[in-house]
Amino acid sequence: MADRNDILVQCTRCRNKHQQSERIALPSELGHSMVCPRCGCKNYYDMTPQVAWCWASGLIEMGSEEQVPEGGIIIARGPKAFLKGELLAAARHGWERDQLLVPGVPEAANQREAAEALDKFLAWRGKSNGRRGSNGVIYSQPGKPMGSTT
């Protein structure tokens, strides 16, 4: 039986979704390996639900639904294994390490221009919603954020 700390995982080979506790222990050179119950693959993706939110400055942060601070605008949802990679490919990179920004928002002259830049970014990325290559990452619709804490 799965405990509350058990996480949903997906096999990298056969794409079987299962709980981490369902993985099977097999002997190996280093003791034992936990493998997929269907195909025996050792590697998996962490499918824990995550959200990405941005600030008025354009800074993007990620975490669980409970971590979204007041004032953060939720821009995307998806599995932990794929959300960061999706944003790394789409967002603008800041000067600091691992700093992601919504393109156009930091350069905006006022809040209206910043909101237009955010809507443009969400419309562009929203085209991939529901497609196979999106790996379950869903962007909010322009002008209709998935939720905010304001």
Side-chain angles (χ1 to χ4, degrees), residues 23-35 42:
R23 296 183 71 79
I24 300 168
L26 289 181
S28 71
E29 310 84 48
L30 302 174
H32 70 280
S33 297
M34 301 302 286
V35 299
K42 296 178 187 176

Side-chain angles (χ1 to χ4, degrees), residues 51-73:
V51 295
W53 63 88
C54 74
W55 298 99
S57 65
L59 180 66
I60 299 172
E61 295 180 346
M62 289 167 270
S64 67
E65 186 83 38
E66 298 82 34
Q67 292 176 313
V68 179
E70 189 171 329
I73 301 168

